[in-house]
Amino acid sequence: MKGLLAIGEGIFFFYVLICLLVLNMIHFGNILFVDMPYEEPMTVTSSSSSPTAFLFLFGLGGVCFLYIRYFLGRSGYRRLKIVLWGSLFAFNTFGSGFSLLMSYGLMLNHREAIYLILATVMSLVLTIQAIMKYYEWK
């Protein structure tokens, strides 16, 4: 049963990793490639998918928050997991913050800006929680 739980945790980690990579790649791609007037920026949200995107962001953030809060396992395994999750959210905080600063005046879609701000703040909160959990177990 423990092996199945470890496999499930690994699948969940890679799912979150892929979601964050796609989010950051879209925003970095907009910074790098949209420099001509006729090019359209890639968007995460649209008028029809905006509520779905925000619910996905809050749902994934909530699940990650609860997952980090109630880690299971032995001491070394928990520390490894907390370092991996904390690093993942720290890199996402820096990546989303960088994208937000670089494209501050260029975003015409306010839903995209709000989504990026929320992703940055949520990643920052999860990073802080991971750091606090690491020092709690030390």
Side-chain angles (χ1 to χ4, degrees):
M1 186 68 172
K2 290 181 183 179
L4 188 62
L5 185 62
I7 291 171
E9 288 176 342
I11 290 171
F12 180 62
F13 177 78
F14 284 114
Y15 177 75
V16 172
L17 176 72
I18 288 170
C19 289
L20 295 179
L21 282 175
V22 167
L23 175 72
N24 283 320
M25 286 173 52
I26 287 173
H27 290 293
F28 288 148
N30 285 339
I31 291 171
L32 294 175
F33 297 119
V34 180
D35 58 352
M36 301 300 285
Y38 55 85
E39 293 177 346
E40 292 288 326
M42 297 174 283
T43 60
V44 177
T45 63
S46 65
S47 60
S48 63
S49 72
S50 183
T52 306
F54 285 109
L55 283 175
F56 178 74
L57 179 69
F58 283 120
L60 192 61
V63 168
C64 289
F65 182 83
L66 292 173
Y67 180 72
I68 290 173
R69 186 171 181 95
Y70 300 110
F71 271 142
L72 297 175
R74 292 185 176 152
S75 177
Y77 183 60
R78 281 190 305 191
R79 282 191 184 160
L80 174 67
K81 286 193 300 187
I82 202 69
V83 167
L84 287 174
W85 282 95
S87 301
L88 176 70
F89 289 120
F91 285 128
N92 188 53
T93 302
F94 289 129
S96 297
F98 178 75
S99 296
L100 190 64
L101 289 175
M102 292 302 291
S103 63
Y104 175 69
L106 304 174
M107 280 192 189
L108 300 176
N109 189 352
H110 296 294
R111 285 185 296 272
E112 284 293 315
I114 291 170
Y115 190 80
L116 192 56
I117 289 170
L118 285 175
T120 305
V121 169
M122 200 169 287
S123 291
L124 182 64
V125 167
L126 290 170
T127 303
I128 291 170
Q129 183 190 14
I131 291 169
M132 289 172 45
K133 225 20 161 170
Y134 180 79
Y135 284 114
E136 178 183 315
W137 291 332
K138 197 169 185 183

